Amino acid sequence: MSGEVVIAYLAAGVLFIRSLGGLSKQETAQQGNTYGVVGMALAIVVAAISWVTRDGMIVRDAAGRLLTAAWASSGALLFAVVVASILGAALARRVEMTGMPELVAVLHSFVGLAAVLVGVSSYLEPVGGHLAPSVERTVHLIEVGVGAAVGAITLTGSIVAWAKLRGTLDGKPLLLPGRHALNAVAALCIAGLALPFIQAPGSAGLPYLLAMIGLASLLGTHLVLAIGGADMPVVVSLLNSYSGWAAAAAGFMLANDLLIVTGALVGSSGTILSIIMCRAMNRSILSVVFGGFGTGDAAPGTARAVSGEVIEMKADEVGQKLAAARAVVIVPGYGMAVSRAQGAVKELTTALRERGVDVKFAIHPVAGRLPGHMNVLLAEAGVPYDIVHEMEHINADFARTDLVLVIGANDIVNPGALDDPGSSIYGMPVLEVWKASLTVVLKRGMAAGYAGVDNPLFTLDHTRMLFGDARKSVEALVAEVRKQPEG
């Protein structure tokens, strides 16, 4: 690479690092996103230019003519980038916030597919031509095998995650007998196929490579099928990590330093996020990697039966309680995203704060369907960042709270996670909303949450249910709060 290309790649790498730094805080998220867009645009332009240049000069043949193949490939690259950019912009504009988790999962699958295709292509036509048997060739083939296998796991795992998030597949975990042994056998077979693949001369190892890709695809499918629906935010984060490592492997295969750096940044940040989320949920990261996360080995149907009476409260009564309260905590969940109630929630927050009510938001690490889902919704609606609190900071406040408003959340406020060993979500820290003087739950009906377990919160003495569409219910609460006399 020429010095200009190296400098451009360094600049792009710095922009990616700044992007991650910006995305770590809500206040700077837009700025971080901009850094990422600029860095990726710079990387694509420089990669295209470097393809048709050498040491800063346009590549020509012995007769001084432009190398047609290089320019044709560059044109194909430009065409692909333009078409993909148009499609990406159209999808991003059209997708609803409820569909954002599915979109993220699909994008991860594209990265996995790219790594698989790059692996096969790099094996058939390595960068710099076919390599003679040597240590260099062995290293290259290891890169191809690892990259293609990780890409295949990412591809099929992301597709299964997309189907679960979309509802095409059941959110309940598929717990096959001896599933961990099956995963281990598949992994050992992939490793075993690597030896004949590396030893095969020329392109004769292609069948072994395709077999490795096939087994890795099955492994990725099974790993995600074994994960319960309530834990999909962690799965999305982990698949993000996988996509980064797949991209880094593709960078090694293509001898592209920036792709290696970018993939490593995405892979490591996704891994760190997954570990943070697992710690917040009292889970092991290894159980996520090997499937069956959050499901344990308990037989289905062993959770305690929920008994007691559900007491309904009308919107006018809830509105009066809100207006009279001194401290209110709002717990948003996926139901808020489905009904697009975040704007109405912002209006309710404003109305209560104008009356001097102390309003806070409580965010669970896995609320919604992807990491930070609720934070994005609230930021979109313009809710002040300083009143949005994470679970570990807000749980101690519930005992001093007059009223908790749970909007479309279920599993993240389930007391069974703390005291019912038979529950599939047992051991997961939850928002302890039942400690407040009054808890009002906004739901369409009495259906179980994404984890498929009943919630004993709904029948506790200090819990009331407000049934109906979340947005319409919150709008009714806003109107009722504004009707109440001051003081």
Side-chain angles (χ1 to χ4, degrees):
M1 291 188 294
S2 66
E4 292 83 358
V5 172
V6 172
I7 293 173
Y9 278 180
L10 284 173
V14 171
L15 286 169
F16 291 144
I17 294 172
R18 292 292 302 274
S19 175
L20 287 175
L23 292 171
S24 64
K25 296 180 181 179
Q26 291 177 313
E27 297 89 337
T28 57
Q30 283 190 326
Q31 187 182 55
N33 199 39
T34 301
Y35 282 136
V37 171
V38 174
M40 185 55 68
L42 176 62
I44 293 172
V45 170
V46 173
I49 293 175
S50 64
W51 178 251
V52 295
T53 62
R54 185 178 298 125
D55 296 329
M57 302 296 292
I58 295 177
V59 178
R60 299 175 183 272
D61 60 16
R65 294 172 299 192
L66 299 177
L67 286 183
T68 306
W71 282 93
S73 298
S74 186
L77 173 63
L78 179 62
F79 175 76
V81 168
V82 171
V83 172
S85 298
I86 294 173
L87 289 175
L91 283 173
R93 283 185 171 275
R94 293 179 57 185
V95 69
E96 300 289 346
M97 281 306 301
T98 52
M100 190 63 69
E102 295 100 292
L103 177 62
V104 172
V106 167
L107 294 177
H108 290 161
S109 73
F110 290 161
V111 179
L113 177 60
V116 172
L117 296 177
V118 167
V120 175
S121 175
S122 182
Y123 176 68
L124 296 176
E125 191 64 39
V127 176
H130 286 283
L131 302 174
S134 64
V135 174
E136 183 181 358
R137 181 178 184 274
T138 300
V139 171
H140 174 70
L141 293 180
I142 292 174
E143 294 170 354
V144 169
V146 171
V150 174
I153 291 173
T154 306
L155 170 62
T156 56
S158 298
I159 292 174
V160 172
W162 167 82
K164 282 197 171 192
L165 292 166
R166 187 179 177 83
T168 306
L169 288 177
D170 194 344
K172 294 182 179 179
L174 176 65
L175 304 180
L176 297 177
R179 63 187 185 279
H180 298 305
L182 290 174
N183 293 338
V185 169
L188 289 173
C189 288
I190 294 172
L193 287 169
L195 184 59
F197 168 65
I198 293 172
Q199 292 177 338
S203 300
L206 183 59
Y208 299 109
L209 177 61
L210 295 179
M212 292 166 65
I213 292 172
L215 283 172
S217 299
L218 291 174
L219 180 59
T221 301
H222 182 233
L223 285 174
V224 181
L225 280 174
I227 297 173
D231 306 315
M232 290 311 294
V234 184
V235 177
V236 172
S237 173
L238 189 65
L239 289 171
N240 176 59
S241 174
Y242 287 172
S243 69
W245 299 125
F252 279 107
M253 290 184 279
L254 297 173
N256 187 298
D257 293 341
L258 181 59
L259 190 53
I260 295 171
V261 171
T262 305
L265 286 173
V266 174
S268 57
S269 60
T271 301
I272 292 170
L273 177 59
S274 300
I275 292 173
I276 291 173
M277 295 181 71
C278 286
R279 286 177 177 172
M281 297 177 65
N282 194 29
R283 306 295 194 187
S284 165
I285 186 65
L286 292 179
S287 62
V288 188
V289 174
F290 296 114
F293 172 60
T295 61
D297 295 313
T302 56
R304 285 200 303 262
V306 175
S307 60
E309 182 183 359
V310 172
I311 303 176
E312 185 178 358
M313 181 179 280
K314 299 300 181 181
D316 56 347
E317 299 176 83
V318 178
Q320 293 168 15
K321 294 284 186 181
L322 285 169
R326 292 171 299 174
V328 171
V329 175
I330 300 175
V331 179
Y334 188 64
M336 186 182 78
V338 172
S339 63
R340 305 179 193 174
Q342 60 267 31
V345 171
K346 168 62 166 59
E347 291 183 32
L348 178 61
T349 303
T350 301
L352 290 173
R353 297 183 79 188
E354 287 174 351
R355 299 178 64 89
V357 179
D358 179 20
V359 182
K360 296 178 182 178
F361 284 81
I363 305 297
H364 193 280
V366 295
R369 295 292 185 268
L370 81 166
H373 198 176
M374 295 301 105
N375 300 78
V376 173
L377 286 173
L378 296 177
E380 180 188 39
V383 172
Y385 302 129
D386 60 335
I387 65 172
V388 179
H389 301 276
E390 300 299 326
M391 177 182 63
E392 61 269 21
H393 300 137
I394 196 76
N395 257 345
D397 292 348
F398 285 120
R400 301 186 295 271
T401 301
D402 299 314
L403 192 151
V404 174
L405 205 61
V406 180
I407 305 176
N410 198 328
D411 299 320
I412 62 174
V413 293
N414 191 329
L418 302 182
D419 60 13
D420 185 2
S423 174
S424 63
I425 61 172
Y426 178 70
M428 181 181 81
V430 292
L431 293 163
E432 299 171 5
V433 298
W434 55 87
K435 292 183 177 180
S437 300
L438 177 65
T439 301
V440 179
V441 181
L442 278 64
K443 278 178 63 70
R444 291 179 180 272
M446 290 301 297
Y450 202 41
V453 294
D454 292 328
N455 193 339
L457 170 70
F458 304 152
T459 60
L460 295 181
D461 293 339
H462 298 292
T463 300
R464 300 293 182 270
M465 306 298 295
L466 176 56
F467 293 112
D469 176 77
R471 183 171 65 177
K472 293 179 180 178
S473 296
V474 176
E475 288 173 348
L477 294 179
V478 173
E480 190 62 38
V481 168
R482 294 197 185 279
K483 282 187 350 187
Q484 299 303 312
E486 295 288 342

